[in-house]
Amino acid sequence: MAASTLMWSIAGVVTRHLESARSFEITFWRSFFTVCALVVLTAWPAVRRRQPVMRESGGPALWISGACWSVMFTAFMVALTMTSVANVLVVMSIGPLFTAVLARFTMGQRLPARTWATVAVAGAGIVWMYAPQVAAGAWGGTLVALCVPVAAGINWTVVQRCQRHGQAVDLVPAVLIGAVLSALATLPLAWPFGATGRDLLLLALLGVVQLAIPCVLVVHCARVLKAPEVALLALLEVVFGIALAWVGAGEDPGPRVLAGGIVVLAALALNEILGLRDRRAVDTAPLPPQSPDADDIHPRKRSIP
């Protein structure tokens, strides 16, 4: 999971070294190379084994999830061309809060007081970071970046709702669908192409190493790690991404962004740590003593299936 966040975090610094590719063309080529990589990593092996590519697909939820992935892929890259790497990554980090709030109002899941406190503290940090940008009218990139956590919240809420009703959503095909939709949506806006050969190599690196491989890894990690562990480790992307852009591209985030970002990340990390502690406490709690049931009293009933 930590390796996945490191691979995710190279997007900002790599984008800053592109020569001619801009905005929607960057998004198109990254999504295109992601499709190629996912076909090789997932679809082609399944075809060779004569297995269905989209088993346990989840029906309509699969396509909703794919549409959400498409929004995330597109908005992320477009936002990187409009504002700083630090701005984009900090805004993205509040995705778990959107998921929690959406789950509260769509599925009736009760949120602990610590999560509401995290929403308040993280919101204050976001306001502190972006108040000068809003006052100056330079908030377009931040608004585009905000589409990423909103789409992520919708995506995970749909997946959780399906799982609650016993219908699993295969996330790897959903990611593939998202990449295809993103490439198709941005192709008309990316034409005519202006990327150089060096740009294409860098964008292929983004499509394969920064997106396809870590997405597949995270799907497998989520089957082993608890949700708070995944969310907590995912915050490393923000740290890695800002550091790489700072060192590798000379993009200084500035003291205000650093201060607000630290507040947001600290609130998120504390919330996930407390959530993980609560889950472990529940898992290790001894079971209450049970009174003998009918099967204990009547041994003949134990043989009845």
Side-chain angles (χ1 to χ4, degrees):
M1 184 63 202
S4 297
T5 63
L6 181 59
M7 286 186 277
W8 278 335
S9 66
I10 68 172
V13 64
V14 171
T15 302
R16 296 302 183 255
H17 289 282
L18 295 172
E19 295 175 340
S20 302
R22 294 292 180 267
S23 192
F24 290 107
E25 184 180 1
I26 296 174
T27 306
F28 166 77
W29 283 117
R30 187 183 77 140
S31 297
F32 172 79
F33 287 119
T34 299
V35 172
C36 297
L38 287 175
V39 168
V40 173
L41 290 172
T42 61
W44 177 243
V47 171
R48 289 191 62 184
R49 294 193 299 266
R50 296 182 180 180
Q51 294 177 346
V53 177
M54 293 187 181
R55 55 187 176 183
E56 298 182 356
S57 60
L62 173 70
W63 296 95
I64 297 175
S65 179
C68 290
W69 282 110
S70 176
V71 172
M72 287 188 278
F73 295 159
T74 305
F76 174 68
M77 294 309 295
V78 172
L80 280 179
T81 66
M82 299 175 66
T83 186
S84 69
V85 174
N87 284 353
V88 176
L89 292 177
V90 172
V91 170
M92 282 178 52
S93 69
I94 61 177
L97 296 183
F98 275 101
T99 304
V101 174
L102 282 175
R104 171 66 181 88
F105 291 105
T106 60
M107 296 191 297
Q109 292 184 356
R110 296 184 61 184
L111 298 182
R114 58 176 170 78
T115 301
W116 289 114
T118 302
V119 171
V121 174
I126 293 290
V127 170
W128 167 259
M129 287 176 59
Y130 298 116
Q133 296 182 22
V134 173
W139 46 271
T142 302
L143 190 61
V144 173
L146 191 61
C147 295
V148 179
V150 171
I154 296 172
N155 187 17
W156 298 122
T157 301
V158 169
V159 171
Q160 289 178 6
R161 191 177 185 87
C162 288
Q163 290 176 343
R164 173 177 287 189
H165 291 84
Q167 187 178 25
V169 178
D170 196 340
L171 291 178
V172 175
V175 172
L176 177 58
I177 291 173
V180 170
L181 294 177
S182 176
L184 292 176
T186 55
L187 176 58
L189 301 172
W191 190 264
F193 297 139
T196 64
R198 181 174 179 273
D199 287 348
L200 290 178
L201 288 176
L202 292 175
L203 291 169
L205 176 69
L206 291 183
V208 178
V209 177
Q210 188 268 330
L211 193 55
I213 293 176
C215 281
V216 173
L217 289 178
V218 168
V219 169
H220 291 287
C221 289
R223 297 170 183 169
V224 179
L225 300 175
K226 297 180 184 297
E229 291 175 321
V230 174
L232 184 61
L233 290 171
L235 295 178
L236 290 174
E237 180 190 2
V238 183
V239 179
F240 291 150
I242 294 175
L244 288 175
W246 199 345
V247 175
E251 189 172 295
D252 185 353
R256 194 177 189 101
V257 173
L258 282 178
I262 290 173
V263 170
V264 173
L265 292 180
L268 292 170
L270 181 60
N271 181 62
E272 299 302 336
I273 290 172
L274 293 176
L276 183 60
R277 187 192 65 177
D278 292 344
R279 287 197 176 198
R280 285 178 174 172
V282 171
D283 292 341
T284 58
L287 294 176
Q290 297 180 354
S291 59
D293 57 16
D295 289 346
D296 296 324
I297 299 173
H298 302 285
R300 287 181 58 188
K301 291 185 178 181
R302 287 201 293 264
S303 62
I304 302 176

